[in-house]
Amino acid sequence: MAYIEPLFPFIEMSVIILALVLIAAFLVWVERRMIGIWQDRLGPNRVGPGGVLQSVADLLKILGKDEFTPKFSDRFTFVLAPFIGAITVLMSFAVIPFSQSIGVSDLNIGLLFFLAMTSLAVYGVVLAGWSSRNKYALLGGMRAAAQTISYEVFMGLSMMGVVLLAGSFSLRDIVEAQQHGWFISSQWLGCLVFLVAGIAESHRLPFDLPEAETELTAGFHTEYSGLKFALFFLGEYLGVTLISAMTVILFFGGYLPPGFLADTLFAELPGIVWFIIKVLFFILFFILLRTSLPRPRFDQLLAFGWKVMLPLSLVNLLGTAILRLTGVLGGGNV
Amino acid sequence: MNQANHLKDIRDWHPGQDFNLADEITHINAELALSQQKLSDHIETYWLAKSQLLTLMQLLKHQLPNGFDMCFDLFAVDERVRDQKLAEQCKDFTLVYHLRSMSRNQDIRIKVALAETDKTVDSICGIWANANWYEREAWDMFGIRFNSHPHLARILMPPTWVGHPLLKDHPARATEMDPFTLSDKQQEIEQQALKFRPEDWGMKRQSKDADFTFLNLGPNHPSVHGAFRIVLQMEGEEIIDCVPDIGYHHRGAEKMGERQSWHSYIPYTDRIDYLGGVMNNFPYVMAVEQLAGIEVPERARVIRIMMAEIFRILSHLLFYGTFAQDVGALSPIFYMFIDREKLFAIVEAFTGARMHPSYFRIGGVAMDLPKGWDTLVREYVNYLPKRLDEYEKMVMQNRLLKARTVDVGAYTSKEAIEYGVTGPGLRATGYSWDLRKQRPYGGYEQFEFEVPVGHKGDCYDRCRVRVEEMRQSIRIIEQCLNNMPEGPYKAEHPQTTPPDKRYTMEDIDTLIPHFVNVSWGPVIPPGEVSVSVEATKGIMAYHLISDGSTVSYRTRIRTPSFAHLQMLPLISRGQMVADLIATLGSIDYVMADVDR
């Protein structure tokens, strides 16, 4: 036992990674099925009960595909790009506290680590677009770079209100600081900005401009197929999970049960269950958004970011700071 | 003098009124030697020597009061094997210019005879901008050269094609030619021909401070709605100029018309604007009926209008959904497909087929309406408006969609007419011109409906007009439903195909035409006629020439989409790529309709 103990963190890590990849695969089916239902059709319902195994079938199909790299592409970067995309997102999960005890690492700068990783993730997209030597892919990569850089600015700012209230960059501390009330009660503006920025970071409709299908065929991943394409796909769904998880941690009490259930039996449910329920809720919200909104134009998107979202997040930060200093929020421990 | 000049209101005009434009023209310029040809479609037709063509065209557009501002159609006819030429001016080839004055609500047809030894004529591109593509088509199909045309290249056929397909001596079937082979060398040539060289189009590769990107959008691209290629000249994401490249969907529909019997060509027409279904049969059968002198019974007329309006709804619903999808909204199209599905079920109940029922016949329709048809239609008529109200909130009032489409891809009424734009695209600019109102055909004068118009002529208005048109179509269908006359659904006329069978076993005069019409197809008396309808996408016209046989001598199909796409460079300059996609979606073209 003694000499297995040092291996525990590695086992935990492997389990988490495996679980995340499975969840991402499962999400593909959830999304397709939910969109199907919302759009008055069935969605994939053939493989397994209710179509649950659709992703397995997809995976088998993808594995059976030719590992194709276009001759005109920049080979090394072309192969590297999808790995950057998937790995950076997986790395971000390292700082996520899934429950009171589950979590890979409790970095004291967890929030900054998350920001750093999401910033790196854009390299996957930009390099993919650039190395494909395809004009659609290039345009997609270009859009991704501009979009991510703009939206990252106020994504960071929108989280600072939470940091002010919790007094820590550690995600676990932030969750624990919400014992007596979720931050959404005072940080609803920050939450809104964070959600918008989060959708933009994960390139989902209505912010899916880098891969805007009707404009750029498939945008940055036009030339990708097979396993490399699957990695981008994985990255996208992990990204959705990540943003949902972050929203829950920052604003909705993470793995803590809701306050009004504090004295009931529900409060006895393990933290991980609460965490999963909340994350699932936000994932479904993302999917619903995708079915209901059109896509803005590129310049409108940037203008919206800089002219609306940035001032909003600054106002939120300023307001929170004032309320915090005057002691209205977060108690007296200034 | 021209009788039309004495009319107080253009709405008083009706087809069949005797005009004499020639007086008006010679009054302005006495040197023009016009000679009139009487044709059964009441469009004034004049022959002219080709040396005077440009003078006359200038006069018609600019000097004549309320001149002919739209070049409606331009095509050629190979007259070399025609028996009944109908006019002594006729030589080996005839160029037909079909012009329209919107404000006079009057058409004129100018014919120019060309000899085989001198197949050249002056280009009229400088007068009507949209003559450009029509002249290229005439060159492509007949080898007629247009002097001082800016870019006289093939348009429908590939650049490497040998010969001119609509010439009477060009084979109509592969079996009449040698087997197809493709040598490596030829393949190399074909590949090279596909390359886009901006210099050929008068484009530069770089400006003073930037290199332009040339983006090849299509022929296979999710947003070009078919096989359509646009080469974009871009700086960043801004479009500097573009070159639409059509012809990928060309099937030689006009050539097929010269082989198929008058009757068996009907299914081909369905597939011209493949979303329009029976709407395509409409002008064709009306044209044949006019040539044969068939009077269609009242019930058939109402059935035709009802079916045409049903297909207008079907086409507009698809437009509505794909337009929203092009802008990025994924869901509306699925809801609209459900509505279409319900309507297709009704079409299927009536005709036995869904998208391409080929339901109209020369002299009527294929079969009578089934028992209980009215219940089906009434249910749908009550169902759709509620759904449209829902879509109104989901699509038209969506702020993101508005941000993407309002003031995007706008053009003025003047530009629209200059480029031959008709239908909702023209009405979106605020110009109320609907053929069903201006020149009621097939019985539309008996129906009450309004002509919705926009005011800005942008993408949003083009969509808005179509949405309102659906409501008007429902109104028309409702009137058909409440006032469907009893009686035969087919005319009792020997040329009606297939003819009435009731008396065939009783008298020989019915048996013989029946036998002949079913085996050879009907023989249509010689003549020329052009019939237009307000189709789903604009005005569609069939110009048929009969040489007194079982097949058409020349079938000319004037389609709205062809004219609409030509305007694309004008609209798209200065747009972003995303705007172009919204614009393409809002034009509502069908490539089969463009290329035929």
Side-chain angles (χ1 to χ4, degrees):
Chain A
M1 193 69 194
Y3 57 92
I4 303 179
E5 214 159 305
L7 290 177
F8 273 8
F10 293 101
I11 295 169
E12 191 182 5
M13 259 187 267
S14 323
V15 169
I16 287 176
I17 288 180
L18 197 68
L20 283 172
V21 172
L22 286 178
I23 285 170
F26 178 66
L27 269 185
V28 179
W29 172 75
V30 171
E31 164 150 47
R32 289 178 60 186
R33 207 62 220 274
M34 290 316 286
I35 289 185
I37 290 165
W38 280 322
Q39 289 179 342
D40 264 8
R41 49 191 181 90
L42 288 171
N45 65 347
R46 296 284 131 157
V47 196
V52 193
L53 298 178
Q54 182 64 39
S55 297
V56 180
D58 285 346
L59 185 73
L60 285 177
K61 180 196 74 178
I62 277 176
L63 286 177
K65 284 198 171 185
D66 187 14
E67 264 317 303
F68 175 72
T69 311
K71 264 187 238 156
F72 45 80
S73 66
D74 185 337
R75 251 191 128 74
F76 176 70
T77 331
F78 187 82
V79 177
L80 183 71
F83 286 95
I84 298 180
I87 286 173
T88 48
V89 182
L90 276 175
M91 293 274 281
S92 314
F93 278 100
V95 291
I96 300 281
F98 295 95
S99 80
Q100 283 87 344
S101 49
I102 308 174
V104 178
S105 155
D106 183 20
L107 276 181
N108 56 355
I109 49 154
L111 205 59
L112 299 180
F113 183 80
F114 161 78
L115 275 177
M117 282 302 137
T118 49
S119 313
L120 278 179
V122 76
Y123 278 97
V125 177
V126 173
L127 289 180
W130 179 63
S131 64
S132 295
R133 297 233 175 114
N134 171 313
K135 287 171 191 167
Y136 289 115
L138 184 68
L139 283 175
M142 216 162 73
R143 285 178 173 193
Q147 179 176 329
T148 314
I149 289 167
S150 321
Y151 277 66
E152 210 153 67
V153 173
F154 59 86
M155 182 188 228
L157 283 173
S158 68
M159 296 190 289
M160 288 311 133
V162 171
V163 175
L164 278 178
L165 294 181
S168 166
F169 278 113
S170 156
L171 292 177
R172 196 170 289 278
D173 291 351
I174 290 175
V175 175
E176 291 300 332
Q178 299 180 61
Q179 288 283 11
H180 304 293
W182 296 352
F183 287 151
I184 181 71
S185 55
S186 60
Q187 289 299 310
W188 47 272
L189 196 56
C191 177
L192 196 74
V193 176
F194 179 80
L195 266 180
V196 171
I199 303 163
E201 289 278 326
S202 53
H203 309 138
R204 304 255 316 164
L205 247 173
F207 297 131
D208 67 338
L209 287 107
E211 46 189 302
E213 191 215 347
T214 50
E215 294 155 30
L216 305 179
T217 58
F220 67 89
H221 60 67
T222 304
E223 296 289 348
Y224 283 88
S225 67
L227 208 56
K228 292 193 283 291
F229 170 74
L231 280 175
F232 275 124
F233 216 58
L234 179 76
E236 179 183 329
Y237 282 90
L238 282 177
V240 173
T241 320
L242 179 67
I243 297 297
S244 308
M246 284 303 287
T247 318
V248 168
I249 288 166
L250 294 174
F251 305 99
F252 291 88
Y255 45 76
L256 301 171
F260 61 89
L261 292 174
D263 300 325
T264 61
L265 265 180
F266 289 106
E268 301 301 313
L269 281 175
I272 182 80
V273 175
W274 280 113
F275 188 74
I276 288 174
I277 290 172
K278 290 179 194 172
V279 170
L280 202 61
F281 173 81
F282 279 99
I283 289 173
L284 289 180
F285 171 72
F286 272 79
I287 296 173
L288 185 58
L289 264 190
R290 182 176 164 190
T291 56
S292 41
L293 288 180
R295 179 189 304 121
R297 206 172 51 211
F298 185 47
D299 55 321
Q300 291 168 342
L301 180 82
L302 293 189
F304 178 69
W306 290 106
K307 290 183 185 160
V308 181
M309 292 323 248
L310 184 67
L312 272 186
S313 58
L314 285 172
V315 166
N316 177 57
L317 181 60
L318 196 69
T320 314
I322 292 170
L323 293 178
R324 179 85 172 92
L325 280 172
T326 51
V328 181
L329 284 176
N333 55 336
V334 184
Chain B
M1 263 310 271
N2 186 353
Q3 230 173 315
N5 279 1
H6 301 304
L7 292 176
K8 293 250 163 6
D9 192 336
I10 52 166
R11 271 169 298 185
D12 297 336
W13 182 86
H14 57 87
Q17 223 169 333
D18 195 27
F19 288 109
N20 199 354
L21 266 169
D23 290 348
E24 219 178 327
I25 293 166
T26 39
H27 180 73
I28 298 174
N29 187 342
E31 283 165 24
L32 290 169
L34 294 172
S35 52
Q36 191 165 9
Q37 182 186 9
K38 286 270 181 210
L39 290 175
S40 55
D41 59 3
H42 304 296
I43 295 175
E44 281 180 68
T45 307
Y46 297 98
W47 288 88
L48 184 78
K50 74 174 187 180
S51 53
Q52 292 184 316
L53 182 71
L54 278 187
T55 328
L56 175 70
M57 291 299 181
Q58 283 285 359
L59 182 148
L60 284 176
K61 188 177 181 194
H62 298 297
Q63 286 162 268
L64 210 63
N66 295 329
F68 289 83
D69 37 9
M70 182 187 278
C71 174
F72 181 69
D73 199 6
L74 193 172
F75 62 94
V77 185
D78 181 358
E79 309 271 16
R80 289 175 300 173
V81 295
R82 189 168 168 186
D83 294 330
Q84 321 260 352
K85 295 201 173 176
L86 303 178
E88 74 272 16
Q89 294 92 337
C90 207
K91 281 192 233 162
D92 298 329
F93 291 91
T94 307
L95 265 179
V96 184
Y97 298 82
H98 187 155
L99 310 173
R100 172 166 294 169
S101 164
M102 305 301 278
S103 44
R104 286 177 183 231
N105 191 13
Q106 187 181 10
D107 285 14
I108 187 173
R109 197 184 279 132
I110 305 293
K111 288 187 172 184
V112 176
L114 298 175
E116 199 175 357
T117 44
D118 182 22
K119 279 160 75 177
T120 58
V121 71
D122 290 327
S123 163
I124 58 161
C125 286
I127 305 170
W128 288 277
N130 70 328
N132 188 324
W133 277 19
Y134 288 110
E135 287 181 349
R136 278 177 67 189
E137 191 188 347
W139 150 248
D140 196 1
M141 293 294 145
F142 291 91
I144 294 170
R145 289 198 164 276
F146 292 86
N147 302 327
S148 67
H149 185 285
H151 187 81
L152 196 65
R154 289 196 180 270
I155 183 164
L156 294 177
M157 306 308 286
T160 51
W161 186 268
V162 181
H164 299 283
L166 276 184
L167 292 179
K168 286 287 176 185
D169 44 21
H170 193 94
R173 290 193 171 178
T175 45
E176 295 166 8
M177 296 188 273
D178 291 336
F180 176 76
T181 52
L182 183 65
S183 64
D184 287 348
K185 201 174 150 218
Q186 185 59 28
Q187 189 179 353
E188 187 58 34
I189 294 171
E190 299 276 349
Q191 288 287 347
Q192 284 302 317
L194 287 175
K195 258 200 172 149
F196 178 77
R197 276 178 300 274
E199 292 80 11
D200 293 351
W201 293 85
M203 289 176 166
K204 293 203 179 86
R205 283 182 196 264
Q206 62 254 98
S207 72
K208 235 186 297 164
D209 38 39
D211 284 356
F212 295 128
T213 319
F214 288 94
L215 183 67
N216 192 20
L217 198 87
N220 297 306
H221 184 281
S223 295
V224 292
H225 300 281
F228 174 38
R229 175 181 178 216
I230 316 167
V231 182
L232 301 175
Q233 181 188 30
M234 302 197 301
E235 195 176 341
E237 274 208 39
E238 195 192 320
I239 296 164
I240 306 292
D241 203 353
C242 79
V243 179
D245 180 15
I246 63 170
Y248 294 94
H249 211 312
H250 180 64
R251 298 144 296 166
E254 291 179 3
K255 185 86 175 173
M256 287 179 208
E258 297 171 14
R259 272 195 84 99
Q260 297 292 330
S261 77
W262 296 98
H263 171 65
S264 63
Y265 188 61
I266 295 174
Y268 289 94
T269 64
D270 272 46
R271 285 143 181 92
I272 298 301
D273 162 11
Y274 53 68
L275 299 174
V278 299
M279 190 69 95
N280 300 281
N281 305 159
F282 213 163
Y284 177 73
V285 293
M286 280 203 297
V288 180
E289 282 156 9
Q290 211 164 324
L291 281 172
I294 304 175
E295 199 62 42
V296 182
E298 202 54 35
R299 185 174 173 86
R301 282 156 69 95
V302 179
I303 295 178
R304 279 183 182 180
I305 287 180
M306 185 172 75
M307 293 308 286
E309 292 306 319
I310 284 179
F311 269 94
R312 191 185 309 280
I313 294 178
L314 283 168
S315 170
H316 281 5
L317 271 177
L318 185 85
F319 157 81
Y320 204 1
T322 47
F323 176 63
Q325 198 181 32
D326 284 342
V327 179
L330 294 178
S331 298
I333 185 146
F334 290 101
Y335 304 129
M336 290 163 194
F337 258 82
I338 291 168
D339 302 341
R340 292 184 82 218
E341 208 53 39
K342 286 188 202 269
L343 198 47
F344 273 136
I346 297 174
V347 173
E348 196 178 355
F350 290 3
T351 68
R354 287 155 51 88
M355 278 183 81
H356 304 133
S358 314
Y359 181 57
F360 294 0
R361 291 288 181 274
I362 301 165
V365 292
M367 60 201 103
D368 206 354
L369 293 171
K371 274 191 192 125
W373 68 274
D374 45 339
T375 330
L376 290 176
V377 177
R378 196 172 302 280
E379 269 171 22
Y380 196 79
V381 163
N382 292 332
Y383 158 85
L384 191 64
K386 278 183 238 136
R387 298 279 284 194
L388 287 179
D389 292 341
E390 247 178 78
Y391 303 147
E392 186 71 22
K393 282 184 218 135
M394 185 174 21
V395 182
M396 296 311 282
Q397 290 173 13
N398 186 302
R399 285 174 59 189
L400 272 175
L401 184 121
K402 277 189 178 171
R404 283 289 305 279
T405 55
V406 173
D407 291 326
V408 168
Y411 51 77
T412 61
S413 307
K414 197 166 174 283
E415 286 169 330
I417 293 168
E418 173 78 23
Y419 274 89
V421 173
T422 50
L426 175 62
R427 293 191 284 273
T429 63
Y431 199 92
S432 177
W433 215 94
D434 189 317
L435 205 71
R436 294 173 294 173
K437 283 277 185 209
Q438 302 288 335
R439 304 177 190 177
Y441 56 88
Y444 269 108
E445 65 278 3
Q446 300 167 5
F447 289 87
E448 272 177 26
F449 63 97
E450 277 148 36
V451 180
V453 288
H455 58 281
K456 279 182 172 169
D458 54 9
C459 295
Y460 188 78
D461 277 3
R462 284 196 281 277
C463 188
R464 156 76 54 221
V465 166
R466 286 189 176 87
V467 174
E468 293 308 319
E469 276 188 9
M470 279 194 268
R471 293 184 193 275
Q472 297 301 328
S473 293
I474 295 172
R475 240 176 107 186
I476 297 174
I477 294 172
E478 231 172 347
Q479 292 169 47
C480 294
L481 188 60
N482 296 331
N483 306 300
M484 182 64 75
E486 294 296 324
Y489 60 93
K490 229 186 233 180
E492 276 188 47
H493 188 280
Q495 250 92 46
T496 299
T497 318
D500 200 355
K501 221 177 165 179
R502 271 176 301 172
Y503 308 114
T504 43
M505 291 303 160
E506 289 160 28
D507 82 79
I508 192 77
D509 291 336
T510 326
L511 182 62
I512 291 173
H514 188 275
F515 182 74
V516 170
N517 283 11
V518 169
S519 49
W520 296 343
V523 175
I524 301 295
E528 262 187 74
V529 70
S530 168
V531 173
S532 318
V533 298
E534 184 72 38
T536 57
K537 288 159 184 70
I539 295 175
M540 173 183 269
Y542 274 74
H543 185 106
L544 298 180
I545 298 178
S546 172
D547 208 17
S549 80
T550 55
V551 297
S552 140
Y553 184 80
R554 171 89 167 95
T555 307
R556 165 64 184 175
I557 311 167
R558 190 272 179 196
T559 58
S561 303
F562 185 82
H564 296 173
L565 276 196
Q566 189 173 178
M567 204 182 177
L568 201 60
L570 181 85
I571 316 175
S572 64
R573 272 174 211 136
Q575 283 188 327
M576 307 270 281
V577 178
D579 290 338
L580 176 74
I581 303 302
T583 309
L584 284 176
S586 73
I587 291 177
D588 186 24
Y589 57 86
V590 159
M591 282 322 285
D593 197 34
V594 179
D595 295 341
R596 292 157 311 214

